[in-house]
Amino acid sequence: MDGLAKLKHNIHDYLRRVYLSQLIRGAFITTGLLGLLWVLFSMLEFLFRFGSQARMVMFFGFATIAIGLLVIQIVTPLLRFFGVLKQKESNDVARELGQKINSVEDRLLNVFSLEASFRGKPNSLAEAGMQQKANELNVLNFSDSVDLKASFRWIRFTLIPLLVTLLIFMWDGSVLSDSTKRLVRYNQNFIAPAPFAFSLENDRLEVPEGSSFQLNVNTVGNSTPENIFVIVDGAEFRMKPMGVGQFSFEFNNVRIDKHFRLRGASVYSADFVLEAIPRPKVLRSEAYFDFPAYTNRPNETVLNRTQISIPEGTRVKWRFDVKNALGRSLLIDTLPIDAVIEGEHLMIEREFHESAILRIDLEGERGLRDSTEVRVNVIPDANPIIRVDNRMDSLNGTYYFQGRLGDDYGLTELKFLVQAKGTRRYSEGLKINSEMLEQGFSYAWSPDSLLQQPGEELDYYFEVWDNDGVNGSKSTKSKVWSIKVPSLEEMSEESSERASKTKASLSNSSSEIEKMKKELENLKKDLLEKKKPDWQDREALKNM
């Protein structure tokens, strides 16, 4: 290593020792000043108990001063010690060393000047002279001119706040600690020592969302206030006295967290928070009905229904929007079912063939539960209805029918059927309108061609079918009528009975004629004996 390089290294060691000395001195100065300031602010807070704004100014003022001292007295020398920040210029170092060591300044300046003049212009003779001068300066150790022990004398500056702090702690250890706590928590309200204190009997200040909460408070101390008030959102509410030093207040329908304080006389409590625990719940439900095609009903969507009525075979697609639910279970008539879960949405799809109850159980924070039910009333497809009136024309033996048909969703077929001893003898399909739910029909029928033998009996009726697309088409029969051909024995008995009735009728007619003849003779005789018939005679003649 040449003489100039050694000289620069000697100067570098000197500067590091200078910055180390500044760092030690700065640490003691910073500690002492911040300690004095901390004791001062703490005592002022202890004596005057400032409000939140004053404590905020003191806190940030202290923080600003602390940051400034740390940057100037500690951080800056430390960064220069490690060469992160720019160190002193060579000429400044020469002047500084000249003040500490005689005849050094001019010689250092001469070497630095020669180095600057030869830079880029090599001159062996001049450079050798510069190296000689540098070697002469290297005999001196510049670091020895920095007295580190002098820096440690600043430790006395830290003893002042330390001594004051010890004296205060010997008097009352809580003075500085309590004041410091209030300064650090400048945004909180702190209560001054009072003749009594508030004691909450409630183990936890929490309530399920939407429920009521009763706050119970006791006072502890040498005196008991006459009234206690709850301060909520700037408004005061008087608590209900429950006994000596016992009070209660009810928060109704708590939806959000409630921040409150207590006041008795001029004594205020700390801030409390009544926490509203979110309750799991169903916010909204949407049900889409996919009706069976045969019903011809357009599909529809309904909202927030807890009871629905649907035709059998309808497919229902639900969407439930839930909130605050950590756990979910879904049941249909106590049987678990699966659902598609998308965030806070539940998707359920099911086809119903019988009535059921859909139940959704939700579980939220701290064991809170909620449930909702949807009653599904399934309406089975009803049987078709048929009513028929029957009238016979006795002149030609023709039967005339007038009827009404009906169904809940539509009809597909109508037939007139005739049976003999359970065997179908005749069948005829009648034309109907399948799109009409209710309609009438008429029909005429003569049984002559079907009555083949004496004593034969025929049953005749109508049967109608509906359009049930789920369980298959269902049918309904009308009233069953019967017609019977008399047997030979019955026809013989009927002829004998009819002849007897005719003979008896003729015998009765002969007796009446004889009686009439006698009455006529008597009336004639009376009229001949009278000159002029009176009113009674004329009436008797008229009746005759």
Side-chain angles (χ1 to χ4, degrees), residues 390-461:
N390 179 16
R391 181 179 60 84
M392 185 189 72
D393 189 341
S394 58
L395 296 178
N396 56 19
T398 301
Y399 291 85
Y400 295 93
F401 303 93
Q402 292 287 335
R404 299 290 299 176
L405 307 173
D407 188 63
D408 41 9
Y409 297 113
L411 302 167
T412 57
E413 189 177 9
L414 173 64
K415 285 186 177 182
F416 177 72
L417 302 168
V418 181
Q419 292 182 348
K421 295 182 179 180
T423 302
R424 182 172 297 181
R425 182 69 61 83
Y426 178 75
S427 175
E428 180 180 355
L430 306 182
K431 185 178 180 180
I432 58 174
N433 188 345
S434 60
E435 296 181 357
M436 293 183 63
L437 302 182
E438 188 174 348
Q439 55 192 290
F441 72 94
S442 58
Y443 181 68
W445 172 66
S446 177
D448 292 345
S449 61
L450 300 178
L451 297 173
Q452 299 175 356
Q453 298 177 0
E456 187 175 34
E457 184 176 3
L458 298 177
D459 296 328
Y460 56 97
Y461 58 92

Side-chain angles (χ1 to χ4, degrees), residues 48 157 163 320 519:
F48 299 104
F157 196 73
L163 181 59
F320 293 94
E519 291 178 356

Side-chain angles (χ1 to χ4, degrees), residues 3 7 23 41-42 44 49 54 64 121 129 157 185 223 243 282 315 325 361 423 426-427 444 478 484 535:
L7 179 62
L23 180 62
F41 282 4
S42 297
L44 289 175
R49 300 191 70 88
T64 303
K121 300 177 181 180
F157 196 73
R185 301 177 183 178
S223 63
V282 176
R315 179 167 288 275
D361 293 321
T423 302
Y426 178 75
S427 175
S478 69
K484 183 178 181 182
W535 177 79

